[in-house]
């Protein structure tokens, strides 16, 4: 029998690995809601369908609620309460029923129209609370419509067999809910290498491809594909020969992984004896065990905002304290750097009085939001301080753009220390506070910031975005997102020199640190630490061990005189390949 012709789609591989299996197309975007005239006698049937869809949606929401509580360990019973209220909202339901009797159209059409009108009315009222409810109503409406249209739910976590997710986009909150045991990989139409979902895929070790426009309509749930997270190829109905070739790549990968396993407990020191702290980035507390077994020297970036996503209310002081304490205890004797809340940009949480911002990446994000919401900030600072009594904890502030932000944040920290002392609660009095260098303005005043903090951590994901004016998640301008652009390298070098001049250490926790072809450059700049995606720790360690620091310094010097980002990248890659070719083949 002739083999079915395989079809190859090419996107951007953002999380390495090969996955094979059945796809599930995540129904996400608005679809046409069909319009159909109905006869008088069909009305009771339409009402029954409507009631069944509302009941099914209610059940679905309750299950999500339980699932989130279990996944995030929040015990927060109010999650999705607002959504549940929408399913029971008599105004909405009665208006839909009246519309059904009056217009005699199918119920999905009537309900869609009523819900849209309801949302428009609420959105027009100048009340942040009501405006926020619009998002809940839109979400619930989509769910009810899916049931009425027989589309089933679009929830990723309810699937009970291994699969590869195909979606238009995945938000960081969607990705946080992915069931790692069943999701073999994911492919999205949008996204980029440094979008938070891509970062999470790498953290979770799930192969992923982004920037594949139109893929949702080209595949159907149940299609068999092979996903190559290295090259970004998605192969529909792969041929036997293709599957064999990928099997060979997997085999080689296992061999390299075995070699890397052998160096797990060895130090990340260059051939000529320069030691660099190699730590790991985490998003969820559930990743902490993987850090300990990766051979990392602790956690260099704990993205705490993931404790806050998918929740109706923020986690309290005790809940956060437990999470930070666990991290510190599990990483001992190594340290944990806890980054204070970096909400905003593409990571949005439920906040009372939140408003939709036209430019969230340039808006009330991270330290700006925390300084504006002292109760939220102080709760976190108190939790971090209390956890510092149980291990080696430092904290750092994200998205700093001016010195006053650090001064104010430090003042809040001192205030929290005083409160805890008065309450007789233990904490580390000389806890170190650092700041991220991820906005050009921070790099440019790094010499001034260095006097206010104990360390710097360069967030290259944002530094590139803000320097190049390229939205890090927008695939349409992804070609302009150039980590080796001379402007970015100058800012990194500037921060590094300022840190060392003022006697503080500096690391990189952005994705550049996880790219093994850039290890020579970052080492050459004189970085003291690299904090990388947990899954990349063994590779970066091998890279560091294979390099000569003096040669890397010369390379960095040479790069500083170059003008073409592509040429700089190529030079770094060649240097890396000369020293650890094996790591590039899988
Ligand atoms: C960065 O910007 O490089 C960083 C580490 O922070 P995040 O990716 O969470 O914005
Ligand atoms: Mg950042």
């Amino acid at each position: 029998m002739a083999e079915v012709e395989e079809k190859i789609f090419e996107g951007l591989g953002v999380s390495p690995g090969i996955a094979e299996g059945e796809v599930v197309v995540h129904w996400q975007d608005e679809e046409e809601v069909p319009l159909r005239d109905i006869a008088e006698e069909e009305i009771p049937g339409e009402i029954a369908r409507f009631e069944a869809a509302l009941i099914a949606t209610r059940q679905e929401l309750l299950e999500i609620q339980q699932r989130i509580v279990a996944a995030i360990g929040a015990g927060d019973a109010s999650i999705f309460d607002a959504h549940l209220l929408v399913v029971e909202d008599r105004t909405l339901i009665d208006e839909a029923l009246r519309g059904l009797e009056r217009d005699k159209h199918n119920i999905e059409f009537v309900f869609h129209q009523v819900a849209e009108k309801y949302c428009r009315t609420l959105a027009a009222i100048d009340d942040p609370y009501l405006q926020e409810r619009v998002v809940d109503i839109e979400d619930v409406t989509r769910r009810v419509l899916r049931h009425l249209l027989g589309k089933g739910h679009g929830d990723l976590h309810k699937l009970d067999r291994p699969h590869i997710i195909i979606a238009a986009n995945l938000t960081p909150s969607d990705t946080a809910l992915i069931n790692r045991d069943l999701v073999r990989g994911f492919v999205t139409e949008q996204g980029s290498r440094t979008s938070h979902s891509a970062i999470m895929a790498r953290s979770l070790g799930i192969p992923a491809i982004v920037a594949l426009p139109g893929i949702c309509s080209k595949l159907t749930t149940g299609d068999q594909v092979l996903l190559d997270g290295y090259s970004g190829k998605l192969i529909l109905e792969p041929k036997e020969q293709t599957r064999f070739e990928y099997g060979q790549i997997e085999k080689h990968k296992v061999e390299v992984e075995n070699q890397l396993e052998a160096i797990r407990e060895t130090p990340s020191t260059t051939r000529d004896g320069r030691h660099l702290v190699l730590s790991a980035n985490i998003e969820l507390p559930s990743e902490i065990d993987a850090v300990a077994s990766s051979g990392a020297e602790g956690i260099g970036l704990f993205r705490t905002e993931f404790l806050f996503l998918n929740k109706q209310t923020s986690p309290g002081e005790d809940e956060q304290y437990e999470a930070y304490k666990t991290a510190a205890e599990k990483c001992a004797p190594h340290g944990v750097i806890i980054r204070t809340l970096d909400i905003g940009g593409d990571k949005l949480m439920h906040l009372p009085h939140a408003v939709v911002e036209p430019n969230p990446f340039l808006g009330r994000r991270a330290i700006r939001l925390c300084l504006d919401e002292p109760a939220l900030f102080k709760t976190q600072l108190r939790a971090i301080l209390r956890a510092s009594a149980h291990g080696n904890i430092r904290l750092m502030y994200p998205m700093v753009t001016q010195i006053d932000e650090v001064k104010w944040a430090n003042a809040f920290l001192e205030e929290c220390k005083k409160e805890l002392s008065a309450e007789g609660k233990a904490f580390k009095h000389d806890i170190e506070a650092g700041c991220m260098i991820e906005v050009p303005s921070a790099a440019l005043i790094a010499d001034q910031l260095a006097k206010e903090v104990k360390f710097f951590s360069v967030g290259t994901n944002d530094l590139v975005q803000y320097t190049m004016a390229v939205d890090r998640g927008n695939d349409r301008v992804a070609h302009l997102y150039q980590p080796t652009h001379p402007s970015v390298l100058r800012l990194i070098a500037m921060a590094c020199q300022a840190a060392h001049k003022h006697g503080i250490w500096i690391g990189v926790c952005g994705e550049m640190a996880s790219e093994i072809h850039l290890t020579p450059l970052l080492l050459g700049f004189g970085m003291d630490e690299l904090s990388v995606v947990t899954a990349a720790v063994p590779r970066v360690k091998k890279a560091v061990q294979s390099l000569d620091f003096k040669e890397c310094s010369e390379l960095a010097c040479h790069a500083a005189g170059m003008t073409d980002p592509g040429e700089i990248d190529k030079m770094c890659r060649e240097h890396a390949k000369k020293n650890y070719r094996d790591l590039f083949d899988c």
Side-chain angles (χ1 to χ4, degrees):
M1 207 173 75
E3 262 191 308
V4 185
E5 209 34 45
E6 70 179 19
K7 201 159 175 194
I8 302 179
F9 304 97
E10 290 200 42
L12 185 66
V14 292
S15 182
I18 313 287
E20 207 182 334
E22 182 185 314
V23 306
V24 168
V25 181
H26 178 43
W27 194 84
Q28 209 172 21
D29 292 335
E30 286 297 337
E31 279 198 8
E32 276 288 277
V33 178
L35 167 62
R36 190 166 53 80
D37 291 333
I38 56 162
E40 184 76 37
E41 57 274 21
E42 284 181 85
I43 290 179
E46 290 297 280
I47 296 176
R49 282 205 310 123
F50 187 37
E51 281 173 354
L54 291 173
I55 291 169
T57 305
R58 187 168 194 284
Q59 186 55 30
E60 191 178 299
L61 291 168
L62 286 170
E63 281 172 26
I64 298 176
Q65 195 169 41
Q66 282 161 9
R67 169 98 195 176
I68 291 175
V69 169
I72 306 172
D76 184 343
S78 65
I79 298 163
F80 275 85
D81 275 359
H83 286 61
L84 285 165
L85 287 178
V86 178
V87 197
E88 288 157 13
D89 186 332
R90 278 320 316 175
T91 321
L92 188 64
I93 296 171
D94 289 346
E95 198 171 333
L97 293 175
R98 275 197 300 276
L100 179 71
E101 303 267 356
R102 187 187 57 233
D103 302 336
K104 304 209 175 39
H105 294 318
N106 52 322
I107 185 66
E108 42 274 73
F109 184 82
V110 176
F111 177 64
H112 188 221
Q113 280 204 321
V114 169
E116 276 198 331
K117 193 174 121 207
Y118 205 69
C119 287
R120 274 198 303 273
T121 313
L122 289 185
I125 301 171
D126 187 18
D127 177 336
Y129 175 79
L130 293 180
Q131 286 172 355
E132 238 186 280
R133 294 284 71 76
V134 171
V135 181
D136 300 335
I137 297 169
E138 282 171 349
D139 187 37
V140 172
T141 305
R142 258 195 301 273
R143 289 173 192 279
V144 174
L145 285 175
R146 274 178 220 154
H147 284 290
L148 285 169
L149 293 166
K151 296 265 183 196
H153 48 75
D155 294 315
L156 303 169
H157 57 267
K158 291 203 33 181
L159 300 156
D160 55 4
R161 55 188 191 283
H163 59 280
I164 291 172
I165 296 172
I166 310 288
N169 196 14
L170 292 177
T171 63
S173 7
D174 286 333
T175 320
L177 287 178
I178 275 180
N179 181 339
R180 269 168 271 178
D181 297 331
L182 295 177
V183 176
R184 291 187 174 158
F186 71 72
V187 180
T188 59
E189 297 192 346
Q190 297 157 26
S192 70
R193 223 183 137 62
T194 51
S195 50
H196 281 99
S197 298
I199 294 174
M200 284 198 77
R202 291 195 285 279
S203 292
L204 301 172
I206 299 176
I209 299 175
V210 301
L212 241 173
I215 195 66
C216 288
S217 50
K218 291 179 188 144
L219 298 182
T220 312
T221 294
D223 282 347
Q224 288 295 322
V225 297
L226 195 150
L227 186 166
D228 173 358
Y230 299 105
S231 70
K233 282 193 187 131
L234 181 72
I235 306 166
L236 175 63
E237 304 290 358
K239 288 192 296 213
E240 267 314 306
Q241 177 62 20
T242 310
R243 298 180 61 215
F244 171 77
E245 284 163 15
Y246 275 100
Q248 295 300 104
I249 298 176
E250 276 288 273
K251 232 166 96 189
H252 180 59
K253 183 180 161 213
V254 172
E255 278 163 22
V256 171
E257 269 166 9
N258 288 342
Q259 284 170 24
L260 294 175
E261 177 60 26
I263 62 159
R264 192 163 61 116
E265 297 303 328
T266 59
S268 40
T269 304
T270 62
R271 290 197 327 256
D272 54 344
R274 178 172 168 95
H275 181 71
L276 178 126
V277 174
L278 178 59
S279 44
N281 297 346
I282 67 160
E283 283 77 39
L284 302 168
S286 55
E287 293 169 56
I288 298 169
D289 288 332
V291 172
S293 57
S294 71
E297 279 186 69
I299 295 172
L301 168 64
F302 186 160
R303 287 184 165 98
T304 57
E305 50 280 4
F306 284 86
L307 296 172
F308 292 68
L309 298 181
N310 294 315
K311 294 193 172 179
Q312 204 69 19
T313 54
S314 305
E317 181 181 317
D318 285 346
E319 190 181 330
Q320 290 187 57
Y321 159 71
E322 287 300 334
Y324 307 150
K325 174 172 166 267
T326 306
E329 287 174 346
K330 288 197 174 172
C331 285
H334 302 305
V336 179
I337 300 180
I338 300 181
R339 179 173 74 182
T340 58
L341 199 53
D342 182 10
I343 283 294
D346 59 349
K347 294 173 287 194
L348 302 173
M349 69 181 261
H350 178 95
L351 269 177
H353 320 303
V355 286
V356 176
E357 295 181 308
N359 285 308
F361 273 115
L362 301 181
R364 208 170 73 116
R365 181 184 168 189
I367 193 71
R368 300 172 179 181
L369 183 139
C370 285
L371 293 173
D372 254 12
E373 303 267 352
L376 181 77
F377 193 34
K378 282 181 67 184
T379 302
Q380 182 171 43
L381 292 176
R382 283 174 57 98
I384 297 172
L385 279 166
R386 283 173 56 203
S388 71
H390 302 275
N392 180 3
I393 286 186
R394 296 184 177 102
L395 63 95
M396 70 176 168
Y397 310 123
M399 212 195 161
V400 163
T401 55
Q402 43 190 308
I403 203 137
D404 277 351
E405 288 165 339
V406 175
K407 288 185 179 166
W408 286 328
N410 279 339
F412 275 122
L413 186 65
E414 289 309 313
E415 208 174 297
C416 292
K417 285 183 187 173
K418 277 203 193 104
E419 287 172 12
L420 291 174
S421 293
E423 292 163 28
K425 295 196 170 126
F427 63 92
K428 191 170 174 220
H429 287 256
D430 56 354
I431 187 169
E432 291 184 359
C435 75
M436 293 198 59
I437 303 288
E438 52 181 350
V439 185
S441 61
L444 292 165
I445 58 161
D447 56 332
Q448 298 170 353
L449 288 170
K451 295 179 193 152
E452 306 297 327
V453 292
K454 293 282 191 277
F455 64 92
F456 286 155
S457 188
V458 184
T460 51
N461 307 337
D462 279 315
L463 188 62
V464 178
Q465 146 164 282
Y466 293 127
T467 307
M468 306 296 299
V470 173
D471 179 341
R472 62 192 263 188
N474 184 345
D475 52 296
R476 296 168 73 187
V477 285
H479 59 289
L480 298 172
Y481 186 96
Q482 295 165 322
T484 49
H485 192 279
S487 58
V488 176
L489 300 188
R490 282 184 192 181
L491 291 168
I492 297 177
M494 200 177 257
C496 210
Q497 282 154 14
H500 290 157
K501 185 166 157 226
H502 291 275
I504 64 170
W505 65 264
I506 178 166
V508 178
C509 63
E511 292 305 296
M512 269 177 94
S514 302
E515 302 281 2
I516 50 169
H517 75 286
L518 295 177
T519 314
L521 187 64
L522 297 180
L523 246 173
F525 276 136
M527 288 298 163
D528 303 293
E529 182 230 28
L530 294 181
S531 189
V532 310
V533 168
T534 309
V537 168
R539 279 163 194 269
V540 178
K541 183 177 280 189
K542 173 79 180 158
V544 172
Q545 292 180 346
S546 312
L547 289 165
D548 179 276
F549 176 57
K550 272 198 290 327
E551 282 176 17
C552 292
S553 309
E554 283 160 21
L555 176 105
C557 254
H558 191 65
M562 293 169 70
T563 53
D564 184 334
E567 285 299 316
I568 299 173
D569 189 90
K570 192 165 150 228
M571 178 181 73
C572 296
R573 199 174 289 276
E574 278 165 8
H575 188 92
K577 283 194 172 168
K578 204 171 79 194
N579 288 281
Y580 38 92
R581 153 106 245 161
D582 239 24
L583 297 184
F584 286 89
D585 293 338
C586 58

